[in-house]
């Protein structure tokens, strides 16, 4: 596009664009064309958009929940830098998934791309470490969900909640005794409300603590510990999958797709 700019656009106002600005504008033109094609291609699908902050667990969630090989990392050098679109027809016919780059990436153009792409989704999962919920990027996207994307059901996953759980009383780690489940649940509910504060939430915007992965040496890296976290209200990929299924069934009114998704989750989770 750049090397043939003058030839392609000599009869338009784009010919006046300074050479230094052409690479960025060329990228936007290509994105716009690709998004137009995507919109047509995804028209027959129900699309789940997984979006969030850098290294918050987006690709980990896609890998665990939808059984897709993704770019997973915990450093700036190991991160998703382009959107990946997964067609789920081989396992859940009629479903597609977009794994977005981190919306607070140092490449500022990613934010604009995400804003264009997220409109293609009918369901959105916003992934953000609980400790970063009040960063500028997270609050900007919460405002976007509240205003421009108010018709799309959103689940806000405040990840790394296993750190909070591990800091609780010693006798609930790794497993929470039945007689302490109610007390611990109330504790996490209170902490969640404290983090949310007075932030206005739409009725179809749900915020939950989540634990997507635990460290290899963590006492919570076992099946019983994950069951305990679920008991006290901390979502895992299984719970997120169930939330998507219920939205597809009850809000999008697609019971057949919801049934196929549930069968997939039973087989894989």
């Amino acid at each position: 596009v750049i090397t043939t700019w003058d030839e392609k656009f000599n009869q338009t106002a784009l010919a006046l664009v300074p050479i230094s600005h052409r690479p960025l504008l060329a990228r936007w033109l290509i994105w716009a064309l690709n998004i137009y094609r995507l919109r047509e291609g995804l028209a027959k699908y129900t699309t789940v958009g997984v979006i969030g902050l850098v290294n918050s667990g987006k690709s980990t969630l896609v890998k665990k929940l939808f059984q897709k090989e993704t770019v997973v990392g915990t450093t700036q050098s190991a991160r998703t830098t382009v959107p990946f679109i997964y067609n789920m027809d081989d396992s859940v016919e009629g479903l597609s998934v977009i794994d977005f780059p981190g919306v607070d990436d140092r490449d500022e153009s990613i934010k604009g791309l995400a804003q264009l792409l997220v409109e293609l989704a009918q369901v959105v999962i916003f992934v953000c470490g609980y400790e970063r919920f009040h960063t500028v990027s997270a609050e900007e996207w919460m405002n976007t969900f509240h205003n421009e994307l108010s018709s799309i059901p959103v689940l806000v996953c405040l990840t790394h909640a296993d750190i909070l759980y591990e800091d609780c009383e010693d006798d609930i780690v790794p497993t929470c005794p039945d007689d302490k489940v109610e007390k611990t649940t109330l504790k996490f509910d209170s902490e969640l409300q404290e983090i949310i504060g007075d932030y206005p939430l739409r009725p179809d915007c749900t915020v939950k603590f989540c634990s997507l992965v635990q460290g290899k040496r963590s006492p919570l890296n076992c099946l019983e510990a994950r069951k305990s976290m679920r008991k006290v209200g901390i979502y895992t990929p299984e719970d997120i999958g169930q939330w998507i299924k219920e939205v597809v069934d009850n809000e999008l009114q697609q019971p057949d797709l919801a049934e196929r998704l549930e069968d997939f989750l039973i087989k894989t989770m």
Side-chain angles (χ1 to χ4, degrees), residues 45-106:
Y45 290 93
T46 295
T47 301
V48 177
V50 181
I51 190 169
L53 305 191
V54 168
N55 293 327
S56 57
K58 303 176 303 299
S59 297
T60 296
L61 175 59
V62 171
K63 181 176 183 178
K64 286 180 171 289
L65 181 54
F66 297 107
Q67 306 297 304
K68 296 295 182 182
E69 287 301 320
T70 60
V71 178
V72 177
T74 57
T75 66
Q76 285 289 339
S77 61
R79 71 195 200 282
T80 304
T81 55
V82 294
F84 289 92
I85 300 175
Y86 301 99
N87 182 316
M88 296 287 293
D89 270 347
D90 58 340
S91 49
V92 186
E93 184 181 356
L95 187 71
S96 65
V97 179
I98 304 177
D99 179 12
F100 288 82
V103 293
D104 58 338
D105 193 276
R106 60 176 176 263

Side-chain angles (χ1 to χ4, degrees), residues 171-172 175-184 231:
D171 60 348
I172 74 164
T175 56
C176 184
D178 290 341
D179 62 345
K180 291 199 172 183
V181 168
E182 183 177 358
K183 176 184 175 182
T184 308
K231 282 183 182 180

Side-chain angles (χ1 to χ4, degrees), residues 14 17-18 42 55 77 84 91 140 173 193 209 238:
L14 290 176
V17 174
L42 293 175
N55 293 327
S77 61
F84 289 92
S91 49
E140 284 179 350
V173 179
Q193 290 306 314
F209 278 133
E238 294 94 326

Side-chain angles (χ1 to χ4, degrees), residues 3 5 12 15 24 46 58 78-79 112 167 169 180 242 247 253:
T3 56
W5 190 280
T12 73
L24 179 60
T46 295
K58 303 176 303 299
R79 71 195 200 282
D167 286 341
E169 301 172 36
K180 291 199 172 183
Q242 187 62 29
V247 167
Q253 299 291 301

